[in-house]
Amino acid sequence: SYMCECRLTHNYFVHSVGMHFEYRGDDNLFAQRYAASLGARVTLEAVLVELRKQREERLQAAEATLLRVQRIKEEYTCLHH
């Protein structure tokens, strides 16, 4: 199934800092771009942990959806005809 590339790079929200970010999986690039704007609110590493987690979830989303669809096809019993 199709997924726009921007789904993997844009609009990551990190609650601990209350900000949205662009993240392409490159920690060094992210640090260069955003480290100064994080200030003392949270460590850069803590933000990167959250971003990596969200990115992995997005990468797995299409496969997880297909697995759910397959499971429903196999297990669903129509109650009304």
Side-chain angles (χ1 to χ4, degrees):
S1 71
Y2 173 77
M3 179 171 41
C4 181
E5 185 179 322
C6 71
R7 173 81 172 111
L8 298 177
T9 59
H10 289 72
N11 206 30
Y12 286 90
F13 184 73
V14 178
H15 289 273
S16 59
V17 291
M19 294 174 63
H20 284 88
F21 298 100
E22 181 179 316
Y23 179 66
R24 297 181 177 274
D26 183 332
D27 294 353
N28 292 325
L29 178 61
F30 181 84
Q32 290 173 3
R33 206 177 262 175
Y34 297 108
S37 65
L38 296 176
R41 294 177 280 187
V42 66
T43 66
L44 174 63
E45 185 57 33
V47 172
L48 286 169
V49 166
E50 178 62 26
L51 292 171
R52 289 182 205 122
K53 177 183 169 214
Q54 287 186 38
R55 188 168 196 274
E56 188 59 33
E57 289 171 357
R58 293 177 185 200
L59 287 167
Q60 300 294 326
E63 183 178 338
T65 298
L66 293 174
L67 291 173
R68 280 193 307 275
V69 167
Q70 185 61 37
R71 182 172 169 226
I72 290 168
K73 284 181 181 178
E74 293 170 359
E75 298 178 10
Y76 178 75
T77 302
C78 183
L79 300 177
H80 305 283
H81 297 279

